[in-house]
Amino acid sequence: MSERSAAATSRPAFQPGTRNPYLPMPARVIEAITETPTIKTFRVILQDETLMREFSFEPGQVGQLSLFGAGESTFVINSPPTRMDYLQFSVMRAGENTTALHSVRAGDIIGVRGPLGNCFPYEKMKGKDIVFVGGGIGMAPLRTLLLFMLDNRKDYGKISLLYGARSPQDMAFSAELPEWLSRSDLDCVLTIDREAEGWPHKVGLIPNVLLEMNPSPENTVAVTCGPPIMIKFTLQALEKLQFAPEQIVTTLEKRMKCGIGICGRCNIGEKYVCVDGPVFTLAELKDMPNEL
Ligand SMILES: Cc1cc2nc3c(=O)[nH]c(=O)nc-3n(C[C@H](O)[C@H](O)[C@H](O)COP(=O)(O)OP(=O)(O)OC[C@H]3O[C@@H](n4cnc5c(N)ncnc54)[C@H](O)[C@@H]3O)c2cc1C
Ligand code: FES
């Protein structure tokens, strides 16, 4: 697998002889899972068997999901490329398209465009310790990279995950959490914002729990994603822990339209989040205008 760098320059959107990238691929939903009151997960298979067989992507890349008459929006492919039985997307209800997607059931057909964007620099992370810090639906992109690394376990050092949500009911991927907590090759810490009856894990805001965990920055990469306010304080916490901006990787949720570097909807300065991102190091973000 080749790795596109997080700082890759925009690539041509259309390659002669390739499929029209504006054309959604019909995909059948094989499973719709209610994760939380606001998040649903969809497992889909492209209807065209050849397209499904040839679909290849890298951890961190996204797809555009569409429903006829409702719209199209961006979601990370949160199943790893090491598990290709289906493609998985988790959708938090935000507005028109995500509300319509929440009514989708197993057997329904939706549109998928992708893969789009760059990926996590997983080749450069080989041999390093990894600290994942995810909040709410921000756990989706981290899930892809986490499972990819667990499927290639010997390539990486110590792997830690700090995953937080507002309450136990707001924790997505709850079916997988017992396995993540019990693995001896993964240090998994769960936290919620406020005490809740019967909650056996941490209570506290993610940046505070991260400071308590006190991970060493030596030979370590931190990967974080979550709501903007969590990201702001998590980045401050990581800097307090002496992580250099080059050791911090995040993925942006700047709104997209075409997803292929043409419409100009997603730019931050000279960078297009849809082709130069959505994955950036903090060092790269510091070089970009403050337009988020
Ligand atoms: C690279 C990338 C990856 C993403 N991955 C996921 C994912 O895995 N799961 C998930 O649930 N969501 C993800 N999102 C966010 C998702 O694309 C938006 O929530 C979705 O587009 C909203 O569509 P809508 O038609 O329902 O809402 P709209 O009716 O368009 O908007 C509803 C509200 O949401 C806000 N909004 C819309 N788009 C965004 C956005 N991109 N970022 C922040 N606020 C937005 C609007 O300003 C408005 O307040 C991702 C976005 C990007 C750019
Ligand atoms: S979404 Fe069109 S240029 Fe990025």
Side-chain angles (χ1 to χ4, degrees):
M1 268 179 274
S2 70
E3 181 195 327
R4 259 168 245 137
S5 104
T9 48
S10 308
R11 58 198 146 86
F14 286 100
Q15 304 288 348
T18 58
R19 197 169 188 282
N20 178 351
Y22 283 119
L23 207 58
M25 298 174 280
R28 186 164 45 85
V29 175
I30 57 163
E31 207 175 341
I33 302 162
T34 300
E35 300 275 6
T36 75
T38 56
I39 300 172
K40 282 197 174 181
T41 286
F42 301 98
R43 293 178 172 167
V44 310
I45 291 179
L46 302 180
Q47 277 202 307
D48 182 317
E49 285 178 16
T50 309
L51 287 179
M52 184 67 205
R53 204 171 40 249
E54 291 175 355
F55 192 91
S56 85
F57 70 100
E58 295 172 275
Q61 287 196 285
V62 301
Q64 296 273 51
L65 298 191
S66 54
L67 263 187
F68 192 69
E72 183 179 55
S73 31
T74 317
F75 305 95
V76 71
I77 307 168
N78 73 58
S79 48
T82 38
R83 306 181 191 187
M84 286 301 289
D85 292 344
Y86 51 77
L87 304 173
Q88 177 166 306
F89 300 90
S90 299
V91 175
M92 188 164 89
R93 199 170 50 234
E96 198 169 344
N97 192 37
T98 50
T99 300
L101 281 166
H102 270 225
S103 66
V104 162
R105 302 275 173 268
D108 289 351
I109 304 296
I110 63 173
V112 175
R113 284 199 299 128
L116 304 170
N118 71 349
C119 62
F120 289 110
Y122 59 91
E123 287 289 347
K124 284 189 201 147
M125 293 179 184
K126 280 185 177 169
K128 299 194 187 238
D129 292 348
I130 312 292
V131 177
F132 287 102
V133 187
I137 190 64
M139 190 55 220
L142 304 196
R143 178 185 189 268
T144 326
L145 186 60
L146 173 67
L147 296 187
F148 176 84
M149 288 182 167
L150 293 177
D151 288 347
N152 293 282
R153 192 63 191 84
K154 62 175 181 1
D155 289 341
Y156 301 94
K158 181 178 172 206
I159 302 182
S160 313
L161 165 66
L162 168 59
Y163 172 32
R166 266 184 301 198
S167 72
Q169 293 72 33
D170 293 308
M171 285 255 155
F173 312 115
S174 51
E176 288 162 279
L177 299 180
E179 192 217 321
W180 294 356
L181 285 162
S182 68
R183 284 186 74 124
S184 57
D185 58 355
L186 171 66
D187 180 16
C188 176
V189 175
L190 304 179
T191 186
I192 54 171
D193 290 358
R194 276 177 293 279
E195 296 276 358
E197 212 181 311
W199 175 254
H201 306 287
K202 289 264 178 203
V203 176
L205 297 176
I206 292 167
N208 298 341
V209 178
L210 177 64
L211 287 171
E212 251 176 60
M213 286 168 68
N214 195 21
S216 162
E218 203 185 325
N219 196 37
T220 304
V221 179
V223 188
T224 185
C225 186
I229 189 76
M230 176 219 123
I231 290 291
K232 181 178 168 193
F233 289 106
T234 297
L235 294 178
Q236 286 177 10
L238 286 166
E239 290 195 300
K240 217 183 238 179
L241 292 164
Q242 308 293 322
F243 280 74
E246 296 75 22
Q247 291 173 276
I248 304 173
V249 178
T250 190
T251 169
L252 297 184
E253 282 207 0
K254 180 98 176 166
R255 217 165 170 176
M256 296 180 185
K257 277 287 173 207
C258 71
I260 52 175
I262 288 180
C263 73
R265 178 69 182 78
C266 68
N267 78 300
I268 306 176
E270 289 176 352
K271 298 281 184 196
Y272 283 5
V273 173
C274 68
V275 287
D276 299 312
V279 177
F280 294 96
T281 63
L282 181 59
E284 289 168 323
L285 291 182
K286 281 181 186 277
D287 274 348
M288 285 154 63
N290 191 9
E291 290 175 6
L292 278 172

